[in-house]
Amino acid sequence: MASTDIGFGLGLRPEHYEEIAANPGRVSWFEALSENYMVPGGRPLYWLDTFRRDYPMALHGVSLSIGSIDPLDRRYLDDLKALVERVQPMWVSDHLCFTGLGGLNMHDLLPLPYTEEALDHVAERVTAVQDHLGQRLVLENVSSYVTYAASELSEWEFIAELARRADCEILLDVNNVYVSAFNHEFDALAFLRAMPRERVRQFHLAGHTHKGSHIIDTHDHPIVPDVWSLYGEAVKLFPGVPTMIERDADIPPYEELLAELDVARGIAAGVTRQAA
Amino acid sequence: MSANTGSLGDLQGAFQNYVLAASDTFQAAVRDTSKAQRATLLDVYRDGYALRLIEVLTNDYPGVMAMAGPDDFDYMARAYIAAHPSPHRSVRWYGGRLADFLAATAPFNATPEAAEMARFEWALSEAFDSADAPAITAESLMALAPEAWETLSFSALPSLRCLTLAFEVPQAWQRKEEVEAGNLEVARAAQPTVWAVWRPQFISNFRSLDADEAAMLAALVEGKPFPDLCEAVAAFTGEAEAPARAAGLLRAMVEGGMIAAFRY
């Protein structure tokens, strides 16, 4: 069945359910989008339970809104905890962002200002969420399109310090580093090098849309060569970290994503050979 | 105090208001880059907000799209989005108020069949991921002693919903892929009809109900015992015919997979 190595995974997408069932063991694990399975019943949960029998899984959310000044949503946390108990994931992740306030959800991952105030606020909330879930939270760096004038720290200083203070982990999205580095004109490698090695839990890889003056993180294209290069650097810095390809729109056949995952395997294997 | 130097809450509030197109003050809080103006960069968020929600509504309401066509659907969707910022943790729930919005808001309320199509499509989508429950079989009822029927009551599947529709919406919905978007015609029904939507396994089912069947099902979901279900039917058939008719209707509901449990 599934490989015992947890190196390379894909996002669990309804478009692929039948193909996954027909082609077992082609990936090591799946990442399931938490909110999609916070439903009472039906086909989504049936497939989640079916695949969980054969594959390790990670849970990945978009609505934790860890950075918002709204109080933590206790009902959301209870539902997330129930899903964690059902799935027994390898880890639980969400994004370093806010999604709205005043009880509203913009259904977007809005960046935070990198200030001491924000750092204190988020660290406290991460601690509360970790206590509620009974495990560490893994937070992903988002792609962003605006730089706050109020920021006192770089994004990488903020993330590294947050991980240390709150004792949480990092989902290092290599595409997001690339996108944000282009948009905010910083050195992507400096970002990678600033991540505390022992706290990098997982990589994401994804495609984007280049607009010339900025890049938008659309997750609807294959991964571009520059991001593959950056991934190669990330694998050198953080060997053995599991990798996942995120494709959220214009979803191609399963075989196509498997082929893309093979590119990641090849890069990681090449880095390992060079290091040996 | 400018938005630039405001607290975390000030900055977040200003950002949200920018996304909602309620205010532009957040511009003062962010920088231009050497490649792009801040307004261009901020509009990635503002434009992305509407586009994302329009996509969600498009996926949830193919029947409404088939009736409206892309331009009118876009206009309607933007009006809904402006009126209804999302309080939900998942976009899966975002479109839930569309039927009420169309029924209550000019100019959309001039086309009541559009609100009915939205109501029907939402019922289908609610049934899709409602709680699972196995349906009872006819055999399990036939095994009951006659006395049990005096107090026998039922629970419907969690997915069961009943809608009263004045238009032939479900029939039109089944034709939605046969016409070019914007050309789906929806006729008015001869009389308002109750439709049941439910999901016995993985596929949502729907069918129209006769008037006595609808009355009986309404009493059933309230937990009324079988004699009361007969009374509901008797209003249409007369007392003499009611028990046999009620038993036949119950059998059809059970065989259709609508009933989850019974007690007596």
Side-chain angles (χ1 to χ4, degrees):
Chain A
M1 268 295 148
S3 159
T4 51
D5 125 62
I6 57 152
F8 298 91
L10 288 176
L12 186 64
R13 300 287 178 267
E15 290 86 343
H16 295 146
Y17 288 160
E18 265 92 18
E19 288 176 281
I20 295 169
N23 294 280
R26 300 293 301 280
V27 304
S28 312
W29 55 283
F30 284 103
E31 184 183 88
L33 297 175
S34 308
E35 289 81 3
N36 288 359
Y37 302 98
M38 291 179 178
V39 291
R43 212 184 260 265
L45 284 172
Y46 164 79
W47 281 112
L48 183 71
D49 292 342
T50 299
F51 291 130
R52 181 63 187 92
R53 285 198 284 274
D54 293 332
Y55 297 92
M57 281 196 185
L59 283 175
H60 186 57
V62 296
S63 290
L64 182 60
S65 197
I66 195 70
S68 175
I69 59 157
D70 272 3
L72 285 168
D73 182 344
R74 293 284 157 189
R75 230 192 62 177
Y76 177 84
L77 289 176
D78 287 343
D79 288 351
L80 180 59
K81 187 165 182 169
L83 189 62
V84 167
E85 274 158 23
R86 183 186 193 122
V87 172
Q88 299 288 310
M90 297 184 291
W91 54 82
V92 179
S93 62
D94 204 295
H95 301 78
L96 179 58
C97 70
F98 76 109
T99 63
L101 64 161
L104 298 183
N105 192 341
M106 301 296 103
H107 296 296
D108 202 346
L109 308 170
L110 304 178
L112 300 168
Y114 303 122
T115 61
E116 284 297 332
E117 183 193 3
L119 192 47
D120 287 342
H121 178 70
V122 178
E124 197 182 305
R125 284 161 71 87
V126 171
T127 301
V129 169
Q130 293 184 142
D131 286 346
H132 195 100
L133 294 180
Q135 61 186 97
R136 280 208 184 89
L137 186 60
V138 184
L139 286 174
E140 178 181 341
N141 56 299
V142 296
S143 283
S144 59
Y145 315 109
V146 291
T147 313
Y148 286 83
S151 286
E152 298 151 359
L153 303 166
S154 67
E155 185 182 351
W156 52 94
E157 286 168 336
F158 188 95
I159 292 174
E161 180 59 17
L162 172 67
R164 190 191 65 77
R165 271 198 218 179
D167 193 21
C168 65
E169 296 182 320
I170 296 165
L171 195 171
L172 187 51
D173 188 307
V174 175
N175 176 66
N176 289 352
V177 174
Y178 180 82
V179 169
S180 292
F182 182 89
N183 290 341
H184 304 300
E185 301 168 308
F186 64 72
D187 176 6
L189 268 179
F191 190 119
L192 295 188
R193 289 187 184 124
M195 294 300 102
R197 174 189 282 228
E198 70 284 3
R199 295 193 182 274
V200 177
R201 170 56 56 200
Q202 180 194 334
F203 294 131
H204 268 169
L205 288 165
H208 57 243
T209 302
H210 207 306
K211 299 294 220 179
S213 60
H214 58 286
I215 302 176
I216 305 182
D217 181 34
T218 46
H219 292 180
D220 60 354
H221 285 90
I223 295 146
V224 302
D226 281 350
V227 173
W228 284 126
S229 296
L230 193 60
Y231 174 66
E233 298 301 322
V235 174
K236 278 184 213 159
L237 288 166
F238 311 107
V241 168
T243 297
M244 192 214 109
I245 293 180
E246 252 191 328
R247 184 71 174 255
D248 296 331
D250 201 22
I251 295 182
Y254 188 50
E255 282 295 334
E256 214 173 290
L257 290 179
L258 292 175
E260 221 182 1
L261 204 55
D262 279 341
V263 176
R265 287 193 177 95
I267 290 172
V271 164
T272 307
R273 274 196 302 279
Q274 279 178 5
Chain B
M1 179 186 289
S2 76
N4 183 10
T5 56
S7 68
L8 181 60
D10 292 337
L11 290 170
Q12 290 185 356
F15 201 161
Q16 176 162 287
N17 282 336
Y18 194 95
V19 172
L20 293 172
S23 158
D24 289 347
T25 61
F26 188 60
Q27 277 193 21
V30 301
R31 301 185 198 275
D32 298 327
T33 69
S34 69
K35 299 188 285 273
Q37 298 283 308
R38 71 191 86 178
T40 304
L41 300 171
L42 280 168
D43 282 349
V44 173
Y45 293 105
R46 178 179 279 178
D47 296 343
Y49 174 71
L51 290 171
R52 201 159 38 248
L53 295 179
I54 292 171
E55 188 182 349
V56 168
L57 295 172
T58 303
N59 289 335
D60 285 348
Y61 292 106
V64 176
M65 171 66 87
M67 292 170 72
D71 292 344
D72 285 355
F73 189 95
D74 186 89
Y75 177 79
M76 171 210 78
R78 287 180 187 272
Y80 178 75
I81 290 163
H84 288 294
S86 173
H88 303 291
R89 94 247 317 230
S90 167
V91 288
R92 185 258 175 279
W93 308 109
Y94 179 65
R97 286 181 281 183
L98 184 67
D100 287 346
F101 174 79
L102 295 178
T105 311
F108 316 108
N109 55 359
T111 315
E113 54 268 42
E116 284 204 348
M117 177 63 81
R119 204 169 303 285
F120 174 70
E121 291 196 285
W122 194 254
L124 287 175
S125 95
E126 278 190 322
F128 177 77
D129 52 21
S130 56
D132 300 303
I136 66 168
T137 62
E139 288 71 32
S140 60
L141 287 184
M142 287 184 324
L144 293 176
E147 317 72 86
W149 287 79
E150 284 302 309
T151 55
L152 185 64
S153 66
F154 303 89
S155 311
L157 252 58
S159 55
L160 180 75
R161 274 131 188 82
C162 290
L163 331 173
T164 304
L165 301 174
F167 290 86
E168 292 189 342
V169 155
Q171 298 92 322
W173 183 87
Q174 292 182 289
R175 296 193 314 269
K176 64 190 181 310
E177 267 133 55
E178 296 165 15
V179 302
E180 203 178 319
N183 289 349
L184 186 66
E185 301 281 342
V186 183
R188 187 178 278 277
Q191 64 227 3
T193 305
V194 178
W195 289 78
V197 177
W198 76 108
R199 183 178 60 78
Q201 272 131 29
F202 287 132
I203 313 282
S204 297
N205 287 9
F206 56 90
R207 69 173 174 84
S208 59
L209 306 180
D210 292 335
D212 57 349
E213 187 176 23
M216 179 177 148
L217 185 56
L220 182 149
V221 303
E222 284 175 27
K224 299 268 170 68
F226 187 71
D228 290 15
L229 307 190
C230 295
E231 279 305 308
V233 169
F236 298 85
T237 63
E239 292 286 344
E241 309 284 337
R245 173 70 173 157
L249 291 174
L250 179 65
R251 188 180 185 112
M253 290 174 193
V254 168
E255 286 177 350
M258 285 184 186
I259 309 297
F262 60 84
R263 68 197 75 83
Y264 55 92

